[in-house]
């Protein structure tokens, strides 16, 4: 027990650097809604603590003084006996009703209206799209759109490497927002219901496939704010963090310019990279990174997939899956009559990664990965996990496949 | 006495079974009830079907008010399409009939069929967003490599509440599974 | 009826072995079956809870996430449908005929079917785990017990198994509810007017009405889900004009009253226990009965407070917020009556009394935090966080489970004719109290700090509190083994013989029958003055 309380105390005194506050408090609120929430939370917690202590004291008094062992004689009343008693007994309920509908109810009324008002004074719109298991951020007016995926390495998740400070709450590409500006956030989903939650903003809103939802934030302090998906959305639910980088107006403008330039540069780079011929070693090294970031969530870092759901990458393994998945893989030459995985034709492999397999969980990566990424990850897959096909896929082949798909 | 008791039991049991069946039916009745509730309140930003051109004859354009309309798009997994609004942003007067559209292309190697689903924020504005022509009224089949402009003709009813100054319209293309 | 006559004929020669239990139409046998089943499923759910806390002991993955999702989902479904509901139904079967002076339930054969639908349902819930080991399917349902579409449309065969389990459990609950209502209306002893019914009977009457109103819509929803999964309908799919949020409404239209279905029977048993051990009559009988009605009525009109973050019009948010707050008033009336019942009593603290008092404190925390959650804006922060998890465990363990344990100790001597070990019972209580609070107090803080529920792995700032919570869970889990040991000892016939009245201050018709009571409770109905 001494050990237990030691652990408990350690937990209660160590301030946490990640949120800059203690781990049992609200993260420092930085939006009007979050400040309101914290205020309401404090009022309530105070109120219910008082109620709890008062009522518990009355109960403990009774437990102590009305004991048989102290010789207490039982009374026999079953209801208020006089009008005065009856009137007195309604007092607790009047107090409760007063707290419910006045102390709590009136601020809550104004808070609900304020939160619903996404329009007044908002200039900027950001569209957040949830998908299994990443977020897509889009700035409709600025022609910027990108995916934000977790960057915590699988090794840290599986305890094979020390965990860093922002374990599970780091992404390749955070949402960048200017401070002191009311931003209207609209939410959409591509598959199941997700929920976008940043505790420091006091905002949590579901993203629903097919229907828009909206909320708003106005951040008053620059900084990096972290949260995560709050609605169970499948296997990767714990691994879709939300990271928001709040910056000053000037920095935001610079970021937008850089981002737009980067988009141009990426196109040019894509063209340049496509022209280069890489060695197998280069492609495998790059491919492993791409695999970890994009494929390992389903196919696993071991490449063995998950029986019944996600097929293995390694050849020679039998696997079970939905009939549709088996049929599609067989059609593409990735499965033997005996039901084992084989390395199918290269062209078909490229198309699966580019376009996904419709009707199965395999998503298309054509939009989110470059030619080089796709070439390297396929080379990696075909020469790892016990596969030794020796096939090398160059970015030019991927570009050719893209072009072929564009043709009528 | 036992016989009379059994008769009473049976009667009450039958009544309760009918009540259970009634509530089972009520579960299904919730589907249309919920849909009409959505239409009434604009929950989910669902809008109605096509408005006939005759219905808008004599509608006045409220030139004093301006409403900003933003368009966004989404393609759900299962479709390989590229799908974008022609005009991401526009400003319209309530009552003015406006023509815009979306462009869609299918870079894959096979024809695919999709159904566009529309949603509007704020939901309160949904019932005032009227469509004369829309690609969302029917399924669209896009052939391999095809590029298509799709038309949307709409207006915002002049009755739209005064505090609605900006709305966002989203179209999501869902794949339509062909039953094999 | 014939069945009743047949029973009287075989009064002294019960069928032995399995057939006695398979074909029994006796309310006490069926009651015992329910309670035994509940204890077993409580252990199954408990083992799953221990697995959950073991995964969360440290920030690392022990199970693959898809297995973790199955564990949390089956934990929830088992605890709600296969542990708590059968326990309260078992108490109703055992006690209601005795409390109202009836020979048996009104519809004994229906009663038998009602019970025997449950074990197959439990098997359906758990079986996909084992099928997966043999390479069939991808495991049990993994969508959370709320089964939100479209995730549940996407899911594997586990979802279908769960849908069929819901059908069976729904049929079982509806049969018991009909039976209980008919029994209460038609089988009361002469002179037992409605306003003389023991308060436990009243609480079950309201519960049965609630079940009849809300379980059929869930079954309808499950049918739509099944059709969406297999027949290409679009109830919950926007592409075909449906709406995923519709499922949330259907589910919570059932799901919120369900909380009160679990809770009410134990708020009914509590006054009996408090009154017995303070040797004082129940305070505020009428006020409690009216509160049951109010709670029952309000519970079906507040469901969407579970959906404040799903997006809803302002007017709806305000309505559901204020309606939810209204429930606090009748619940507060119940608390007031409980306190007034023990006030100026002559109390002793046997195990049932300890659990009853623990109920008041823990459920009190659950209720008060529920008040906080009703605020539509603050709820944006609490919703789906560990704050919510802690809240509903205080409400559902602190309430129903503590109440069921209290009732078990209270009626055990009556049911078996033997006294249990008071020392072990007290150990059980204190270890449960310490373990429970150590498990769930840290979870309030985890939620406030931003940890969402249903994640197998978490950011480092949550590590200390999670470890504390897991240690608490082990204490809580191991405490329940004391209960099981105590039950087994009593069933083996160890312990003092119980008297007819069992407890010094016990009142009520059930305490005028011998311990254990005769096979048929009242051959000649008593007359109530």
């Amino acid at each position: 027990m001494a050990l237990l309380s030691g652990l408990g105390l350690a937990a209660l005194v160590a301030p946490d650097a990640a949120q800059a506050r203690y781990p049992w408090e609200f993260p420092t609120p930085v939006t009007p809604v979050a400040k309101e929430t914290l205020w309401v939370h404090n009022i309530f917690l105070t109120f219910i603590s008082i109620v709890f202590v008062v009522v518990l004291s009355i109960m403990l008094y009774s437990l102590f003084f009305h004991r048989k062992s102290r010789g207490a004689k039982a009374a026999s009343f079953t209801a208020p006996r006089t009008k005065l008693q009856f009137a007195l007994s309604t007092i607790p309920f009047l107090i409760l009703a007063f707290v419910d509908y006045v102390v709590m109810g009136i601020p809550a009324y104004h808070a609900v209206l304020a939160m619903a008002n996404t329009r007044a004074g908002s200039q900027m719109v950001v569209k957040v799209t949830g998908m299994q298991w990443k977020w897509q951020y889009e700035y409709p007016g600025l022609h910027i759109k990108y995916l934000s995926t977790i960057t915590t390495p699988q090794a840290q998740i599986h305890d094979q490497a020390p965990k860093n400070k922002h374990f599970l709450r780091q992404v390749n590409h955070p949402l960048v927002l200017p401070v002191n500006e009311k931003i209207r956030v609209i939410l959409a989903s591509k598959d199941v219901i997700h929920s976008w939650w940043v505790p420091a903003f006091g905002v949590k809103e579901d993203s629903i496939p097919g229907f828009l939802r909206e909320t708003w934030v106005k951040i008053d302090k620059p900084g990096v704010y972290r949260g995560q998906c709050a609605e169970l959305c499948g296997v990767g639910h714990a691994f879709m963090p939300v990271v928001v980088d709040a910056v000053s107006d000037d920095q935001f403008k610079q970021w937008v310019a850089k981002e737009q330039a980067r988009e141009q540069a990426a196109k040019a780079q894509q063209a340049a990279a496509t022209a280069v011929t890489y060695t197998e070693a280069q492609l495998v090294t790059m491919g492993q990174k791409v695999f970890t970031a994009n494929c390992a969530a389903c196919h696993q870092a071991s490449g063995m997939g998950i029986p019944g759901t996600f097929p293995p990458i390694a050849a020679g393994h039998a696997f079970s899956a939905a009939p549709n998945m088996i049929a599609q893989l067989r059609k593409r030459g990735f499965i033997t009559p005996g039901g084992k995985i084989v390395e199918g034709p290269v062209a078909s492999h490229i198309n699966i990664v580019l376009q996904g397999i419709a009707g199965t969980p395999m998503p298309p990566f054509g939009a989110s990965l470059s030619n080089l990424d796709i070439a390297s990850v396929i080379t990696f897959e075909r020469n790892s996990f016990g596969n030794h096909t020796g096939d090398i896929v160059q970015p030019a082949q991927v570009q050719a496949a893209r072009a072929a798909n564009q043709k009528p | 006495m036992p016989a009379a008791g059994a008769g009473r039991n049976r009667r009450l049991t039958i009544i309760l079974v009918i009540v259970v069946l009634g509530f089972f039916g009520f579960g299904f009745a919730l589907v249309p009830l919920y849909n009409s509730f959505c239409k009434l309140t604009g929950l989910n930003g669902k809008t109605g079907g096509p408005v006939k051109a005759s219905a808008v004859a004599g509608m006045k354009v409220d030139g004093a008010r301006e409403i900003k309309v933003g368009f966004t798009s989404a393609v759900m997994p299962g479709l390989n399409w590229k799908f974008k609004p022609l005009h991401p942003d526009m400003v319209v007067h309530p009552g003015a009939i406006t023509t815009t559209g979306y462009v869609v292309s299918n870079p894959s190697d096979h024809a695919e069929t999709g159904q566009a689903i529309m949603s509007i924020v704020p939901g309160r504005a949904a019932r005032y967003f009227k469509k004369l022509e829309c690609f969302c009224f029917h399924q669209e089949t896009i052939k391999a490599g095809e590029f298509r402009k799709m038309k949307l003709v709409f207006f915002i009813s002049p009755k739209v509440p005064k505090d609605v100054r900006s709305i966002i319209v989203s179209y999501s293309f869902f794949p339509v599974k062909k039953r094999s | 009826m014939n069945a009743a006559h047949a029973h009287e004929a075989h009064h002294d020669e019960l069928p032995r072995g399995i057939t006695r239990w398979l074909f029994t139409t006796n309310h006490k046998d069926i009651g015992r079956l329910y309670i035994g089943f509940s204890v077993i499923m409580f252990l199954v759910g408990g083992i799953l809870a221990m697995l959950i806390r073991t995964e969360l002991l440290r920030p690392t993955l022990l199970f693959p996430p898809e297995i973790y999702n199955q564990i949390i989902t089956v934990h929830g479904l088992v605890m709600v449908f296969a542990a708590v509901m059968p326990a309260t139904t078992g108490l109703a079967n055992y006690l209601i005929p005795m409390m109202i002076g009836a020979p048996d339930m009104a519809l004994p054969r229906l009663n038998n079917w009602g019970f025997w639908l449950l074990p197959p349902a439990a098997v359906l819930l758990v079986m996909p785990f084992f099928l997966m080991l043999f390479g069939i399917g991808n495991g049990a349902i993994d969508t959370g017990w709320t089964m939100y579409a479209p995730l549940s449309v996407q899911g594997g065969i586990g979802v279908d198994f769960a849908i069929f389990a819901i059908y069976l459990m729904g049929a079982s609950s509806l049969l018991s509810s009909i039976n209980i209502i008919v029994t209460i209306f038609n089988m009361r002893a002469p002179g037992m007017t409605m306003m003389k019914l023991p308060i436990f009977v009243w609480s079950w009457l309201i519960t049965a009405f609630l079940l009849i109103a809300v379980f059929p819509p869930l079954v309808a929803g499950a049918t739509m889900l099944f059709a969406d999964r297999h027949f290409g309908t679009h109830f919950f799919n926007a592409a075909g004009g449906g709406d995923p949020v519709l499922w949330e409404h259907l589910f919570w239209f059932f799901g919120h009253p369900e909380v009160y279905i679990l809770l009410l029977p134990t708020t009914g048993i509590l006054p009996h226990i408090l009154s017995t051990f303070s040797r004082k009559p129940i305070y505020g009988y009428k006020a409690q009965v009216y509160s049951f009605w109010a709670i029952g009525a309000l519970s079906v009109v507040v469901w969407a407070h579970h959906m404040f973050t799903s997006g809803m019009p302002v007017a709806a948010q305000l309505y559901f917020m204020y309606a939810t707050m209204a429930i606090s008033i009748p619940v507060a009336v119940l608390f007031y009556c409980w306190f007034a019942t023990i006030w100026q009593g002559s109390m002793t603290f046997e195990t049932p009394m300890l659990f009853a008092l623990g109920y008041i404190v823990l459920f009190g925390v659950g209720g008060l935090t529920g008040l906080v959650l009703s605020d539509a804006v603050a709820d944006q922060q609490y919703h789906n966080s560990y704050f919510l998890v802690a809240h509903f465990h205080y409400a559902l363990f602190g309430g129903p489970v503590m109440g069921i344990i209290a009732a078990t100790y209270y009626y055990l001597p009556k049911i078996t004719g033997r006294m249990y070990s008071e020392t072990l019972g007290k150990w059980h209580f204190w270890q449960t109290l310490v373990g429970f609070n150590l498990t769930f107090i840290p979870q309030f803080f985890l939620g406030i700090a931003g940890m969402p529920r249903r994640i197998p792995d978490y950011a480092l700032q949550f590590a200390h509190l999670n470890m504390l919570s897991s240690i608490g869970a082990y204490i809580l889990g191991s405490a329940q083994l004391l209960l099981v040991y105590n039950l087994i000892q009593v069933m083996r016939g160890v312990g003092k013989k119980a008297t007819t009245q069992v407890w010094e201050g016990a009142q009520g018709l059930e305490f005028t029958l011998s311990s254990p009571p005769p096979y048929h409770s009242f051959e000649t109905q008593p007359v109530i003055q």
Side-chain angles (χ1 to χ4, degrees), chain C residues 44-270:
Chain C
V44 171
I47 289 168
L48 293 170
M50 294 302 114
L51 293 178
I52 295 171
R53 286 315 319 173
T54 305
E55 168 67 76
L56 295 175
L57 183 65
R58 288 184 53 244
T60 188
L61 280 185
L62 294 179
F63 310 113
E66 68 275 13
I67 300 289
Y68 180 79
N69 290 349
Q70 294 169 28
I71 293 174
I72 56 162
T73 307
V74 177
H75 164 74
L77 289 169
V78 161
M79 284 303 199
V80 168
F81 290 108
V84 174
M85 282 175 77
T88 58
T89 314
L91 288 171
N93 265 295
Y94 200 93
L95 295 175
I96 287 176
M98 292 207 289
M99 284 180 159
I100 65 172
D104 205 311
M105 297 294 279
L107 311 163
R109 253 187 254 165
L110 228 63
N111 211 7
N112 174 292
W113 299 342
F115 173 75
W116 284 108
L117 287 173
L118 275 182
V123 169
L124 282 179
L125 274 182
V126 181
M127 191 161 66
F129 277 127
F130 299 101
L131 287 181
M132 178 176 56
L133 296 181
F134 295 104
I136 303 170
N138 44 9
I141 178 167
D142 59 354
T143 58
W145 84 288
T146 50
M147 295 181 272
Y148 275 14
L151 188 64
S152 52
V153 177
Q154 228 180 40
I157 57 163
V159 179
D160 299 318
F161 276 76
I163 289 173
F164 282 102
I166 285 174
Y167 285 154
L168 292 180
M169 294 183 295
S172 163
S173 307
L174 291 169
L175 289 176
S176 331
S177 304
I178 291 175
N179 203 352
I180 286 166
I181 294 172
V182 176
T183 304
I184 295 173
F185 278 148
N186 289 356
M187 306 282 283
R188 297 192 308 276
M192 172 81 70
T193 57
M194 289 305 271
M195 287 315 275
K196 278 188 189 159
L197 282 178
I199 215 154
F200 173 71
V201 180
W202 258 116
S203 70
W204 242 109
L205 186 63
I206 309 290
T207 305
F209 280 134
L210 274 181
L211 272 166
I212 282 184
V214 303
F215 222 125
L218 177 72
V219 172
T223 308
M224 295 177 212
L225 182 60
F226 193 75
D228 266 16
R229 286 171 56 80
H230 298 289
F231 307 128
T233 55
H234 296 283
F235 288 106
F236 309 124
N237 181 355
D243 188 339
V245 182
L246 173 62
W247 168 263
E248 298 184 16
H249 284 285
L250 282 168
F251 181 83
W252 287 115
F253 183 77
F254 156 81
H256 192 73
E258 172 69 12
V259 173
Y260 295 93
I261 288 166
L262 302 175
L263 183 72
L264 278 177
T266 59
T267 62
I269 211 88
L270 205 62

